[in-house]
């Protein structure tokens, strides 16, 4: 039976919903829809998704269903962000949305989100210096999380994530706002302390030629060009942060609900720019959905996943030659016994990952590493 040419992908985030409809044959995106849900800090301060926001999500999802039907799309997938998946009432949210829409939502893990954001920027962002011998940091921001990938030339060296996002930061700092005079100074110190432990876990890296950021609703407004010098970035940052908060509504074209996250987001990016010792800062408009689309279209070769696994193994002391040998023999056994086991690409990838990380337990106990 022939595969239908159109398919859809929906991403249910903590503060936004996104839909894209794609032609499977050409890879062209035929329709995009982006909707904001109620921006409430209850998810970050209390760990619960408010009932009003759940109802709003259901209403918007039914609108997406109608759009899919209008295009005649029969095949589509719905994913939910890890921020929602980690809410205390995540099971209730899932049940309520399924009852309201009939849709089955698959939660994404934090590592999956980081992966899809990174490959979206790496493979679909025109600003990524393909074929150049540059050191590039890719930063993707969500409301509650930051993912970082480091590339030398076209090769990924490492990737790390941290539960640190602008909305999450704004929520954690909200209780201090009324009692602290220098809230900007406190925010800087808070961010610095959060990143201090994070940076100690990073491998050694060369100074970055470019820090490319996606998911920042403030950065794309303050940069004069898609890529600027880090000096220009700091100057633009200082200028906007020196203005009254009320003026951000007009200057940055933000909603009132987004304003509280502006300062934490810009100060977070400022700290990362210093941490990476970057020469330039750029803004990317690529979305995590692009990574999911590449996978759906079969355009990924799993290279990044295997590099993640290889680097993870070596981070925990796996001996490189042994790691390579186990991988080689596992692949050969899988391929030569295919007529017997009847497994396919997904299972082969899982076997490859297992081979690369199978000895990580030695980091804790060499005699009982299993």
């Amino acid at each position: 039976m022939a595969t239908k040419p159109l398919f859809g992908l929906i991403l249910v985030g903590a503060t936004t919903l996104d839909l894209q409809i794609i032609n499977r044959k050409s890879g062209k995106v035929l329709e995009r829809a982006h909707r904001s849900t109620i921006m409430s800090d209850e998810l970050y301060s209390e760990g619960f998704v408010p009932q009003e926001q759940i109802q709003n999500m259901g209403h918007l999802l039914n609108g997406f269903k109608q759009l899919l039907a209008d295009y005649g799309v029969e095949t589509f997938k719905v994913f939910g962000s890890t921020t929602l998946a980690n809410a205390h009432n995540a099971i209730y949210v899932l049940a309520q949305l399924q009852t309201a829409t009939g849709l089955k939502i698959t939660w994404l893990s934090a590592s999956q989100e980081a992966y899809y954001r990174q490959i979206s920027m790496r493979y679909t962002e025109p600003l990524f210096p393909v074929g150049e011998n540059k050191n590039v940091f890719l930063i993707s921001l969500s409301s509650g999380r930051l993912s970082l990938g480091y590339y030398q030339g076209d090769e990924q060296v490492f990737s790390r994530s941290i539960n640190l996002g602008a909305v999450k930061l704004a929520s954690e700092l909200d209780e201090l706002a009324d009692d602290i005079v220098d809230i900007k100074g406190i925010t800087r110190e808070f961010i610095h302390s959060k990143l201090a432990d994070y940076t100690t876990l990073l491998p050694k890296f060369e100074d970055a030629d470019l820090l490319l950021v996606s998911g920042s609703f403030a950065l794309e407004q303050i940069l004069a060009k898609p890529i600027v010098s880090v000096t220009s970035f700091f100057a633009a940052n200082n200028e906007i942060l020196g203005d009254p908060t009320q003026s951000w509504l007009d200057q940055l074209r933000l909603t009132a609900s987004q304003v509280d996250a502006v300062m934490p987001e810009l100060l977070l990016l400022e700290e990362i720019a210093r941490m990476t010792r970057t020469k330039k800062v750029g803004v990317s408009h690529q979305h995590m959905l692009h990574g999911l689309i590449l996978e759906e279209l079969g355009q990924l070769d799993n290279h990044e996943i295997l590099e993640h696994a290889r680097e993870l193994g070596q981070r925990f002391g796996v001996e490189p030659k042994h790691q390579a040998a186990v991988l080689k023999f596992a692949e050969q056994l899988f391929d030569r016994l295919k007529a017997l086991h009847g497994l396919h690409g997904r299972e082969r990838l899982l076997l490859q990952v297992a081979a690369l990380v199978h000895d990580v337990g030695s980091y804790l106990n060499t005699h009982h590493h299993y």
Side-chain angles (χ1 to χ4, degrees):
M1 186 176 182
T3 303
K4 296 283 186 180
L6 300 186
F7 73 95
L9 287 174
I10 297 174
L11 180 63
V12 183
T15 58
T16 59
L17 271 73
D18 290 273
L19 162 70
Q20 293 195 14
I21 298 174
I22 307 97
N23 186 306
R24 196 183 297 274
K25 293 181 178 178
S26 66
K28 183 179 179 181
V29 178
L30 302 179
E31 183 68 69
R32 292 183 176 88
H34 175 83
R35 302 288 185 269
S36 294
T37 59
I38 299 167
M39 181 86 89
S40 170
D41 66 359
E42 191 173 334
L43 177 56
Y44 299 101
S45 61
E46 306 294 335
F48 288 91
V49 183
Q51 182 64 36
E52 187 180 4
Q53 186 167 354
I54 298 172
Q55 292 174 347
N56 190 30
M57 287 176 177
H59 172 72
L60 293 172
L61 283 172
N62 280 323
F64 283 0
K65 281 182 65 180
Q66 184 59 54
L67 189 57
L68 289 166
D70 292 343
Y71 272 87
V73 178
E74 298 178 5
T75 304
F76 58 91
K77 296 179 180 178
V78 187
F79 297 96
S81 73
T82 187
T83 302
L84 289 176
N86 291 332
H88 295 323
N89 60 340
I91 296 175
Y92 176 76
V93 172
L94 200 64
Q96 288 289 298
L97 291 179
Q98 189 163 359
T99 299
T101 66
L103 297 175
K104 178 185 177 182
I105 300 174
T106 301
W107 294 129
L108 292 172
S109 68
S111 57
Q112 284 177 304
E113 283 196 6
Y115 169 68
Y116 289 122
R117 291 178 191 279
Q118 293 294 326
I119 62 172
S120 173
M121 296 176 71
R122 168 64 184 85
Y123 290 107
T124 64
E125 175 51 66
L127 297 178
F128 187 93
V130 178
E132 301 179 32
N133 188 25
K134 301 284 188 181
N135 299 321
V136 181
F137 273 97
L138 300 181
I139 298 289
S140 59
L141 296 173
S142 65
S143 54
R145 195 166 182 82
L146 177 151
S147 299
L148 175 150
Y150 178 60
Y151 289 77
Q152 289 183 328
D154 294 336
E155 294 297 317
Q156 184 186 62
V157 180
F158 64 83
S159 178
R160 296 286 191 278
S161 295
I162 182 174
N163 288 323
L164 194 65
V167 178
K168 182 178 175 65
L169 274 169
S171 174
E172 292 181 356
L173 291 163
D174 184 55
E175 295 180 3
L176 301 175
D178 296 333
D179 302 321
I180 301 296
V181 175
D182 184 16
I183 188 65
K184 187 162 64 173
I186 288 295
T187 303
R188 286 185 191 276
E189 288 298 319
F190 186 76
I191 291 171
H192 183 78
S193 67
K194 285 282 189 179
L195 287 177
D197 291 337
Y198 177 69
T199 54
T200 61
L201 298 175
L202 299 181
K204 291 182 179 180
F205 56 85
E206 302 292 330
D207 293 2
D209 295 297
L210 174 64
L211 174 68
L212 195 56
V213 183
S214 72
S216 171
F217 52 76
L219 188 63
E220 60 187 56
Q221 301 294 340
I222 72 166
L223 294 190
K225 297 182 294 184
I227 296 179
V228 301
S229 69
V230 71
T231 304
S232 297
F233 164 62
F234 286 148
N237 235 16
N238 287 334
E239 182 177 351
I240 197 69
L241 290 174
D243 290 337
T245 302
Q246 184 60 36
S247 69
W248 296 350
L249 289 169
D250 299 323
Q251 292 183 53
L252 301 183
R253 292 177 289 178
L254 302 174
T255 64
S257 59
Q258 290 174 317
V259 165
D260 289 343
V262 169
M263 182 185 65
E265 182 174 286
L266 292 179
L267 292 180
L268 175 61
L269 292 174
E270 195 174 284
E271 186 71 19
I272 292 172
R274 293 192 179 94
M275 179 191 82
T276 58
R277 306 184 295 276
T278 188
K279 299 180 180 69
K280 295 181 178 180
V281 176
V283 61
S284 169
H285 298 283
Q286 299 307 311
H287 194 281
M288 189 202 319
L289 272 179
H290 295 140
L292 289 161
I293 290 169
L294 290 175
E295 182 172 76
E296 186 69 24
L297 292 173
Q299 295 180 357
L300 299 178
D301 59 7
N302 298 322
H303 173 74
E304 270 80 6
I305 291 178
L306 295 178
E307 284 304 310
H308 276 296
R310 184 175 286 106
E311 193 258 330
L312 179 66
Q314 296 189 9
R315 194 194 318 171
F316 288 96
V318 174
E319 203 283 313
K321 290 183 178 179
H322 175 66
Q323 184 187 51
V326 172
L327 175 63
K328 176 183 175 181
F329 294 138
E331 290 172 335
Q332 288 180 352
L333 285 168
F334 185 95
D335 294 340
R336 294 181 185 183
L337 296 172
K338 193 166 186 177
L340 293 175
H341 58 62
L343 302 176
H344 302 287
R346 173 66 177 173
E347 291 79 14
R348 190 177 193 272
L349 174 63
L350 293 174
L351 179 65
Q352 290 172 305
V353 170
L356 290 168
V357 302
H358 78 282
D359 262 351
V360 293
S362 298
Y363 187 80
L364 298 178
N365 190 318
T366 55
H367 298 293
H368 299 282
H369 64 274
Y370 48 85

